[in-house]
Amino acid sequence: GSPTGAPFVAIACGSMHSVALHRDGTVVTWGDSSDGQWDDAPTCAGFVAIACGNCHSVALRDDGTVVIWGGHGYGQRNGAPSGTGFVAIACGNCHSVALRDDGTVV
């Protein structure tokens, strides 16, 4: 299926799940949730960017913090960037990275 509640400003796809970022800063997830891809998704607002790995997802909040949910079979959530000051996020198959406002990558 497809998400409802447009307008969306960004989309991302994992192996068998998808995430959309709504204009109001909330995330909508759909597809497979065998690893919590949408069961564990955040329900609050304030997100400005999203990314998906194979079976996990990452979202960047407007306060510069990062939230990770979904699969954890390879430690995807163990290395979640902590603190504030993040300005960009990206996902690989089973890992994620975040860029800080000072140019460092975590």
Side-chain angles (χ1 to χ4, degrees), residues 7-102:
F8 295 102
V9 296
I11 54 173
C13 294
S15 176
M16 295 177 12
H17 76 287
S18 301
V19 178
L21 178 63
H22 194 274
R23 183 172 58 192
D24 69 4
T26 57
V27 295
V28 176
T29 57
W30 69 100
D32 180 61
S33 191
S34 58
D35 288 307
Q37 292 93 316
W38 51 266
D39 291 334
D40 298 336
T43 57
C44 54
F47 293 98
V48 296
I50 53 173
C52 289
N54 183 43
C55 61
H56 73 289
S57 300
V58 178
L60 176 65
R61 294 186 54 84
D62 57 7
D63 65 1
T65 58
V66 175
V67 177
I68 299 178
W69 70 95
H72 187 60
Y74 295 96
Q76 295 93 312
R77 297 187 317 252
N78 279 352
S82 61
T84 61
F86 293 100
V87 296
I89 53 174
C91 289
N93 187 35
C94 293
H95 71 286
S96 303
V97 293
L99 177 66
R100 287 191 182 276
D101 56 7
D102 66 0

